[in-house]
């Protein structure tokens, strides 16, 4: 098994081995949800979103959701309600499979476009035709894009490459960037708390010298992801502004508990 703490996701073989993937028999019958949520976080909107009762989280809100594949009709409503964007719909009932996924980047593709399908790691898998875009008001700004791909890659394709993406824009390049002087101030670094490059530079100008110091001044890293997305970027900006190497910067502190636990444990 790959180290999920490093890659951030389970691959299709691991999901299947863990019994967290719809059966081939069900996938061949038509569209069905694939729930790839694998962290015991306190979250259950998927359960309440499904009016067919196909998803169960249960009384303990940190349980992983369980799909009853016989009840799922592949409507896709749960995809738009999952804050982790961890649910997909796969359909292997025809010659070509379709994969539906939440896609919150602009511009959106158009029906008929040929796009670059990518896997869970964002790596290119194949070219794919866009067959549907659902951007209904009820989706609340989480459009669902459906693409057509060969069946043999439909368990691995999970998104598409952003349109108009240049090499300069890739996250990997941004993470490698040492000089942040010419990066636009309005670029968001901490997505959970909407903290921008400008906010972070201002905090540094006001005296913050550590990632923790920036966190306290701006809330960068205090959101749902707890800094998993932004703390490395904050280190880079700090290094650039103060003229020190990112690896010499003290990382932010991790506070206990590092995963949600029931209140009852504090009685012990
Ligand atoms: S795709 Fe529709 S039917 Fe299936 S689990 Fe999600 S909301 Fe329920
Ligand atoms: S809504 Fe998404 S993140 Fe939350 S429990 Fe359901 S699948 Fe997991």
């Amino acid at each position: 098994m790959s180290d999920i703490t490093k890659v951030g996701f389970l691959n299709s073989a691991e999901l299947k081995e863990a019994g967290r993937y719809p059966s081939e028999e069900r996938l061949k019958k038509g569209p069905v949800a694939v729930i790839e949520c694998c962290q015991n976080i306190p979250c259950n909107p998927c359960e309440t979103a499904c009016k067919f009762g196909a998803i169960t989280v249960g009384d303990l809100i940190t349980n992983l959701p369980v799909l009853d594949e016989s009840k799922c009709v592949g409507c896709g409503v749960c995809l738009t309600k999952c804050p982790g964007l961890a649910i997909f719909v796969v359909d292997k009932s025809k010659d070509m499979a379709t994969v539906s996924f939440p896609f919150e980047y602009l511009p959106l593709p158009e029906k008929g476009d040929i796009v670059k399908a990518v896997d869970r790691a964002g790596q290119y898998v194949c070219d794919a035709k866009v067959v549907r875009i659902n951007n209904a008001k009820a989706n609340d700004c989480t459009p669902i894009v459906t693409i057509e791909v060969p069946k043999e890659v439909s368990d691995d394709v999970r998104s598409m490459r952003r349109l108009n993406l240049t090499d300069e824009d890739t996250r990997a390049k941004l993470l490698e960037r040492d000089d942040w002087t010419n990066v636009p101030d309005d670029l968001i670094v901490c997505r959970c708390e909407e903290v921008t490059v400008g906010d972070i530079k201002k905090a540094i100008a006001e005296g913050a010298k550590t990632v923790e110091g920036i966190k306290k001044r701006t809330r960068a890293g205090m959101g749902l992801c707890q800094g998993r997305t932004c703390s490395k970027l904050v280190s880079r900006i700090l290094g650039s502004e103060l003229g020190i190497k990112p690896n010499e910067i003290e990382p932010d502190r991790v506070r206990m508990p590092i995963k949600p636990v029931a209140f009852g444990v504090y009685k012990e």
Side-chain angles (χ1 to χ4, degrees):
M1 185 177 276
S2 50
D3 185 348
I4 192 171
T5 59
K6 293 202 173 118
V7 298
F9 57 83
L10 295 175
N11 61 37
S12 57
E14 290 164 339
L15 287 161
K16 286 174 188 174
E17 199 183 319
R20 303 199 57 76
Y21 210 89
S23 65
E24 275 304 307
E25 192 190 0
R26 174 63 189 83
L27 285 157
K28 283 179 190 157
K29 281 186 185 163
V32 62
V34 180
I35 305 179
E36 304 200 355
C37 171
C38 55
Q39 293 184 351
N40 296 96
I41 52 172
C43 184
N44 68 352
C46 53
E47 181 179 43
T48 44
C50 182
K51 64 178 181 182
F52 300 96
I55 302 179
T56 307
V57 173
D59 290 340
L60 189 59
I61 198 175
T62 53
N63 284 342
L64 290 181
V66 175
L67 178 81
D68 181 339
E69 63 178 35
S70 66
K71 290 184 180 169
C72 175
V73 299
C75 68
V77 169
C78 54
L79 276 66
T80 66
K81 304 291 182 244
C82 168
L85 307 184
I87 313 181
F88 308 86
V89 167
V90 177
D91 178 2
K92 297 190 190 178
S93 63
K94 304 198 176 71
D95 288 346
M96 289 286 276
T98 59
V99 179
S100 302
F101 50 86
F103 190 75
E104 295 182 333
Y105 299 103
L106 295 175
L108 288 173
E110 290 186 10
K111 187 175 171 184
D113 280 358
I114 302 297
V115 296
K116 308 276 181 208
V118 298
D119 62 15
R120 295 174 182 84
Q123 298 300 318
Y124 172 77
V125 177
C126 61
D127 284 4
K129 187 169 156 189
V130 176
V131 292
R132 193 165 53 250
I133 297 145
N134 175 355
N135 194 15
K137 201 170 173 202
N139 289 16
D140 195 18
C141 299
T142 298
I144 302 300
V145 175
T146 302
I147 57 176
E148 202 173 59
V149 294
K151 275 184 192 161
E152 53 274 24
V153 296
S154 59
D155 293 335
D156 296 318
V157 165
R158 284 299 175 263
S159 191
M160 54 169 269
R161 193 163 285 168
R162 270 170 55 198
L163 301 175
N164 301 339
L165 186 70
T166 66
D167 278 351
E168 280 296 303
D169 294 330
T170 63
R171 181 170 174 270
K173 289 266 186 247
L174 207 53
L175 273 172
E176 286 165 13
R177 180 187 281 274
D178 284 326
D179 181 2
W180 285 72
T181 39
N182 292 323
V183 177
D185 271 356
D186 61 355
L187 185 74
I188 289 184
V189 175
C190 169
R191 294 174 63 190
C192 304
E193 297 289 330
E194 297 188 357
V195 182
T196 64
V197 169
D199 296 330
I200 292 166
K201 287 185 176 174
K202 183 166 174 275
I204 297 168
E206 287 172 358
K209 290 189 168 45
T210 60
V211 178
E212 194 66 24
I214 290 171
K215 187 177 182 177
K216 283 178 181 147
R217 283 176 166 86
T218 65
R219 294 191 58 81
M222 284 191 189
L224 276 180
C225 90
Q226 288 289 290
R228 288 176 186 85
T229 307
C230 64
S231 72
K232 282 196 173 61
L233 293 168
V234 171
S235 302
R236 291 268 165 186
I237 302 170
L238 199 54
S240 167
E241 291 294 289
L242 299 181
I244 48 179
K245 291 187 183 145
N247 59 5
E248 290 170 3
I249 293 167
E250 194 185 323
D252 54 343
R253 284 183 221 126
V254 178
R255 297 219 179 125
M256 299 295 170
I258 57 174
K259 62 176 255 186
V261 291
F263 272 118
V265 301
Y266 291 109
K267 283 193 278 182
E268 291 164 8

